[in-house]
Amino acid sequence: MFSREEIETIEAAIQREETPRSVSIAAMRFIQKQRGYVSDQSLADLAPMLGMSVSGLESVATFYSLIFRKPVGRHVILVCDSVSCWILGRERPLDHLRRRLGVDLGQTTADDLFTLLAIPCLGACDRAPAMLIDETLYGPLTPESIDEILSSYRELDR
Ligand code: FES
């Protein structure tokens, strides 16, 4: 069940956006910002507001990799999984990330601080191998730069 504020924001997006798909993405991103992820219940509550079926909305959420359908950590690390990053050595920094965080792709650290996910091209091939943490882009990545980046987030969250 959405709060009054959430309903008002979603209704404002419906007025503003041009297509059902763009409204659905904006609405799910808003819900995610409020609640951390888009649960099955949120999807079921949102679909009738947008005049969509739950399965139609689910397919948009599945296609759009920045919509999280399960709980995630406080910071989401999106590691590019596309060709430029592969060619420029994505595996080495990714292995380092896995070791430092103690998780594999698709998992969240035990302290709930980071979730590690793969994503198609970030549009930053000139900075390959690249990753995005929340809304900040990093690259070209090295094991050393990853240590610095993770430390800065751990400092922030103390
Ligand atoms: S291929 Fe990694 S940012 Fe484009």
Side-chain angles (χ1 to χ4, degrees):
M1 186 72 115
F2 296 132
S3 67
R4 174 179 286 276
E5 183 206 347
E6 288 171 330
I7 290 169
E8 285 173 1
T9 302
I10 293 164
E11 285 175 345
I14 292 169
Q15 301 300 320
R16 201 176 51 242
E17 300 286 340
E18 287 179 6
T19 65
R21 186 181 176 86
S22 62
V23 177
S24 65
I25 293 169
M28 287 190 284
R29 295 233 36 195
F30 168 69
I31 291 165
Q32 184 166 286
K33 196 162 189 180
Q34 296 291 108
R35 300 173 173 228
Y37 73 109
V38 181
S39 67
D40 289 346
Q41 186 60 57
S42 291
L43 213 68
D45 292 341
L46 182 59
M49 292 180 73
L50 303 177
M52 294 176 73
S53 66
V54 174
S55 62
L57 193 53
E58 173 83 61
S59 71
V60 175
T62 303
F63 179 78
Y64 192 61
S65 50
L66 294 177
I67 300 295
F68 308 132
R69 294 282 286 115
K70 295 196 166 125
V72 289
R74 194 172 314 163
H75 303 289
V76 177
I77 302 175
L78 299 166
V79 180
C80 179
D81 192 23
S82 292
V83 66
S84 296
C85 287
W86 277 101
I87 290 170
L88 290 168
R90 164 196 189 262
E91 275 312 291
R92 188 164 168 252
L94 178 57
D95 283 345
H96 192 74
L97 259 177
R98 286 185 176 114
R99 272 197 307 277
R100 283 287 188 255
L101 298 175
V103 296
D104 207 342
L105 288 168
Q107 298 178 334
T108 298
T109 56
D111 59 3
D112 280 332
L113 195 53
F114 297 105
T115 296
L116 184 62
L117 300 172
I119 190 171
C121 181
L122 289 164
C125 308
D126 58 326
R127 294 180 65 179
M131 70 178 180
L132 195 69
I133 302 185
D134 304 330
E135 293 177 4
T136 304
L137 182 73
Y138 296 97
L141 298 172
T142 63
E144 296 73 27
S145 69
I146 283 171
D147 286 343
E148 279 176 33
I149 294 162
L150 292 181
S151 297
S152 70
Y153 281 86
R154 291 197 164 110
E155 281 295 315
L156 274 179
D157 284 284
R158 273 193 184 178

